[in-house]
């Protein structure tokens, strides 16, 4: 009797793998590449793993696949015109699938994602920028609607439907030019009020 195949799948394994690779990088263990970045005289070096960078960035994949075979020594990659803070955020993202940045840095993160050909970061930045734009548009729409409402009420400050009805009703019952006006008319008015 033949046994049927079953699927063994871990939902936590990808997250655990990322977390472990991130810890190895932070501790400097098994790192086989140093990425040096420089921007306007500010320079920093970041140890990393070629496999992680190549798996998340087409730029790094091309660099590592086209480099000459080394004798096991650590290789170096130099990136000019990349801000230190932006590359640090990039590394955090590729090792953890998340990074927290200020709103005004989202555009710069999108630019570094495009420069390093990191599709996941590029899509994440694009989606966030889209949400931010939709939020701004919603705020503008709400502001515009409140302004229109204020303008309409300012254009017609004395027009209240109930007041208008009362004024019209009094005018109809007040016979000013009537020759038969008597003292009873004001009494009728006061009863009506």
């Amino acid at each position: 009797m033949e046994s049927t195949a079953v699927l063994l799948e871990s939902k936590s394994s990808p997250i655990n793998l990322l977390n472990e690779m991130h810890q190895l990088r932070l501790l400097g263990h098994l790192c086989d590449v140093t990425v040096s970045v420089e921007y306007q005289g500010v320079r920093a070096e970041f140890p990393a793993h070629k496999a992680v960078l190549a798996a998340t960035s087409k730029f790094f994949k091309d660099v590592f696949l086209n480099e000459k075979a080394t004798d096991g020594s650590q290789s170096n990659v130099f990136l000019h015109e990349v801000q230190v803070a932006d590359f640090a955020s990039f590394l955090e993202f590729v090792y953890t699938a998340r990074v927290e940045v200020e709103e005004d840095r989202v555009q710069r993160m999108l630019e570094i994602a495009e420069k390093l050909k990191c599709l996941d970061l590029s899509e994440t930045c694009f989606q966030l920028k889209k949400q931010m734009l939709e939020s701004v548009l919603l705020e503008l729409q709400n502001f515009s609607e409140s302004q229109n409402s204020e303008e309409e009420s300012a254009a017609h400050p004395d027009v209240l439907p109930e007041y208008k009805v009362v004024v019209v009703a009094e005018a109809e019952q007040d016979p000013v030019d009537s020759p038969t006006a008597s003292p009873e008319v004001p009494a009728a008015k006061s009863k009506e009020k």
Side-chain angles (χ1 to χ4, degrees):
M1 178 173 226
E2 214 173 293
S3 176
T4 59
V6 294
L7 176 65
L8 300 175
E9 182 178 15
S10 170
K11 304 289 185 197
S12 61
S13 184
I15 299 299
N16 293 339
L17 178 64
L18 274 178
N19 288 336
E20 190 59 33
M21 291 299 294
H22 184 59
Q23 289 304 313
L24 288 170
R25 184 184 73 81
L26 292 176
L27 296 171
H29 297 309
L30 304 175
C31 293
D32 53 359
V33 64
T34 298
V35 181
S36 299
V37 297
E38 184 177 352
Y39 183 79
Q40 297 180 345
V42 178
R43 185 178 175 147
E45 293 186 342
F46 298 90
H49 302 94
K50 288 182 182 180
V52 173
L53 294 179
T56 56
S57 162
K58 288 183 181 180
F59 170 84
F60 283 113
K61 183 177 183 179
D62 290 343
V63 168
F64 299 142
L65 291 178
N66 293 323
E67 75 181 357
K68 295 177 185 171
T70 58
D71 56 0
S73 63
Q74 189 169 355
S75 63
N76 294 304
V77 176
F78 297 97
L79 297 176
H80 298 286
E81 300 303 314
V82 174
Q83 294 189 32
V84 171
D86 294 344
F87 190 75
S89 295
F90 167 81
L91 272 184
E92 185 176 338
F93 181 83
V94 298
Y95 274 90
T96 65
R98 60 186 300 162
V99 66
E100 188 172 330
V101 297
E102 299 81 13
E103 283 185 13
D104 59 346
R105 285 186 53 215
V106 174
Q107 178 61 36
R108 289 188 359 218
M109 293 306 298
L110 178 60
E111 290 167 6
I112 196 170
E114 290 172 353
K115 181 175 185 163
L116 299 178
K117 300 175 186 174
C118 178
L119 187 59
D120 289 340
L121 180 58
S122 182
E123 287 178 1
T124 302
C125 290
F126 179 76
Q127 289 300 321
L128 182 59
K129 285 184 66 156
K130 184 179 173 184
Q131 289 173 355
M132 290 166 53
L133 180 61
E134 288 171 353
S135 174
V136 168
L137 290 176
L138 185 61
E139 286 179 22
L140 286 174
Q141 182 181 1
N142 290 341
F143 178 76
S144 175
E145 289 173 357
S146 69
Q147 288 297 317
N148 289 341
S149 175
E150 288 176 12
E151 288 173 5
E152 287 177 9
S153 64
H156 307 290
D158 296 335
V159 178
L160 296 174
E162 295 84 3
Y163 181 72
K164 190 174 182 181
V165 171
V166 171
V167 172
V168 171
E170 287 179 14
E172 288 176 0
Q173 291 186 358
D174 192 3
V176 176
D177 297 329
S178 172
T180 58
S182 66
E184 294 175 40
V185 172
K189 259 190 180 180
S190 62
K191 287 179 184 175
E192 182 181 327
K193 286 182 183 176

